[in-house]
């Protein structure tokens, strides 16, 4: 039995949905997949996530929408990741809670010509509200406009107010990139360069791993970063199909897969595309990094 076959027997409908749509490539609007998403809507996991709603459909305990990990912001993000069906009007009160928080006017510090804002918050809202079919064009445009305004010269974002901070943060760049991918493609492609220039996890200066957590896979990822989350973002932005992007990425092999000098082995273009999308690319020479 293949791994895909085993996963398709999971009791979790979200796992079956991901395999069918993300691995096997089944159309998301097909009848079978639509039935599966209705199963997700009625699943115990979704029921638990939404159980804190009051009579008006809002989550007020906890009061703050960003309260970890039960506030409205995180509940909607989880629903989007689980494959909850789009366009559910019963989620409008949660959407309105989130938009009141992230669309309010706030003064964003401008230090050394760079806006210091935790853009993962607005970026994630743009991502999950779009995925859930809850965002109109006007609000999507406002969120995207703010993210583009706050974008740093290297393509990403960072909320570090230290004047010496000149490089974007992986944690603050991944979610805005994913959110902008369906609204402002050029800005999302600029953000992708933050990761591609570092082969998704390695320092440009020394080639050393930026942080050990980057190679430890997590779920849910929340606002953190790991290489699988980075690869998902690359797929959404469209850089996986770009030969130039693939040559600047690294294949995520077991920890023993190192060269004699201790550097990570490079991935072939075929290997990266297969690991990321499940669809082999045309063979080519190993990447140069």
């Amino acid at each position: 039995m293949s791994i895909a076959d085993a996963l398709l027997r999971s009791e979790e409908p979200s796992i079956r949905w991901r395999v069918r749509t993300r691995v096997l490539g089944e159309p998301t609007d097909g009848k079978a997949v639509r039935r599966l998403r209705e199963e997700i809507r009625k699943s115990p996991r979704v029921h638990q996530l939404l159980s804190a709603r009051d009579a008006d459909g809002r989550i007020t305990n906890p009061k703050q929408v960003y309260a970890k990990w039960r506030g409205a912001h995180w509940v909607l993000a989880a629903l989007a990741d689980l494959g909850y069906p789009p366009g559910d009007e019963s989620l409008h009160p949660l959407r309105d809670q989130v938009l009141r928080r992230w669309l309010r006017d706030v003064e964003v510090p401008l230090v050394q010509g760079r806006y210091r804002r935790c853009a993962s918050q607005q970026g994630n809202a743009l991502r999950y509200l779009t995925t859930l079919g809850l965002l109109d064009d006007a609000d999507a445009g406002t969120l995207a406009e703010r993210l583009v305004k706050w974008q740093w010269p290297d393509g990403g974002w960072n909320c570090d107010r230290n004047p010496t901070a000149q490089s974007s943060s992986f944690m603050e760049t991944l979610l805005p990139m994913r959110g902008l991918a369906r609204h402002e493609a050029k800005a999302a492609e600029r953000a992708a360069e933050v990761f591609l220039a570092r082969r998704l996890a390695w320092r440009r200066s020394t080639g050393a791993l930026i942080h050990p957590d980057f190679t430890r896979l997590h779920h849910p990822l929340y606002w953190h970063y790991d290489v699988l989350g980075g690869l998902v973002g690359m797929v959404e932005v469209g850089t996986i199909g770009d030969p130039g992007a693939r040559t600047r990425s690294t294949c995520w092999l077991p920890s023993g897969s190192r060269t004699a000098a201790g550097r990570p082995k490079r991935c072939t273009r075929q290997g990266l595309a297969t690991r990321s999308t499940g669809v082999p690319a045309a063979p080519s020479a190993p990447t140069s990094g």
Side-chain angles (χ1 to χ4, degrees):
M1 180 187 301
S2 69
I3 294 176
D5 289 335
L7 292 173
L8 287 172
R9 296 187 178 189
S10 171
E11 294 182 357
E12 284 286 348
S14 295
I15 292 177
R16 287 181 269 126
W17 169 74
R18 281 187 172 275
V19 173
R20 294 180 72 159
T21 59
R22 302 291 181 87
V23 178
L24 301 181
E26 293 187 23
T28 57
D29 58 351
K31 184 181 294 186
V33 172
R34 290 202 305 270
R35 284 199 304 267
L36 185 53
R37 296 189 87 165
E38 286 303 314
E39 189 178 344
I40 293 170
R41 187 203 303 269
K42 300 172 184 176
S43 67
R45 193 176 299 276
V46 165
H47 175 76
Q48 181 65 30
L49 282 167
L50 295 175
S51 62
R53 289 187 296 180
D54 61 18
D56 296 323
R58 300 176 301 164
I59 293 177
T60 56
N61 184 21
K63 182 177 181 180
Q64 297 297 327
V65 300
Y66 198 67
K68 300 179 177 67
W69 304 102
R70 298 179 294 115
H73 176 88
W74 299 109
V75 167
L76 290 174
L79 292 178
D81 290 338
L82 289 171
Y84 191 88
D88 185 351
E89 293 185 3
S90 74
L91 297 180
H92 285 186
L94 296 182
R95 174 203 63 189
D96 295 343
Q97 281 186 272
V98 166
L99 290 177
R100 275 195 300 270
R101 173 68 184 273
W102 301 133
L103 290 181
R104 69 186 183 186
D105 291 328
V106 294
E107 185 176 349
V108 178
L110 183 63
V111 181
Q112 296 291 322
R114 291 170 170 81
Y115 286 99
R116 312 291 168 139
R117 183 69 177 88
C118 297
S120 62
Q121 297 167 338
Q122 282 85 355
N124 202 10
L126 181 60
R127 177 192 71 88
Y128 63 65
L129 290 175
T130 300
T131 300
L132 292 169
L134 301 177
L135 200 57
D136 63 31
D137 291 342
D139 289 336
T142 301
L143 284 170
E145 181 181 1
R146 292 185 180 186
L147 289 169
V148 172
K149 177 181 178 179
W150 300 333
Q151 196 167 19
W152 282 25
D154 65 357
W157 294 262
N158 198 332
C159 52
D160 189 347
R161 299 190 184 190
N162 187 330
T164 64
Q166 301 292 316
S167 297
S168 292
S169 158
F170 271 32
M171 279 78 151
E172 294 303 330
T173 299
L174 179 62
L175 289 168
M177 179 187 73
R178 294 181 64 190
L180 288 169
R182 292 164 65 178
H183 298 278
E184 293 285 349
K186 293 296 184 183
E189 290 168 5
R190 285 187 59 214
E193 289 299 319
V194 173
F195 305 102
L196 294 173
R198 297 163 178 83
R199 295 179 292 118
L200 303 188
W202 307 94
R203 297 189 184 280
R204 289 181 298 181
S205 56
T206 64
L209 183 64
I210 295 173
H211 194 285
D213 278 352
F214 286 6
T215 55
R216 299 183 185 125
L217 305 187
H218 309 75
H219 185 81
L221 192 56
Y222 295 123
W223 57 270
H224 301 288
Y225 178 84
D226 63 32
V227 293
L228 183 56
L231 286 170
V232 169
M234 294 302 106
V235 171
E236 292 175 353
V237 175
T239 60
I240 289 296
D242 175 7
R246 285 198 300 263
T247 58
R248 287 174 288 155
S249 301
T250 299
C251 189
W252 300 105
L253 301 170
S255 58
S257 301
R258 302 269 169 167
T259 65
R263 298 287 293 275
K265 285 186 177 179
R266 301 296 194 266
C267 182
T268 64
R269 293 182 184 178
Q270 181 182 19
L272 177 60
T274 301
R275 288 169 187 269
S276 305
T277 65
V279 181
S284 67
T287 63
S288 58

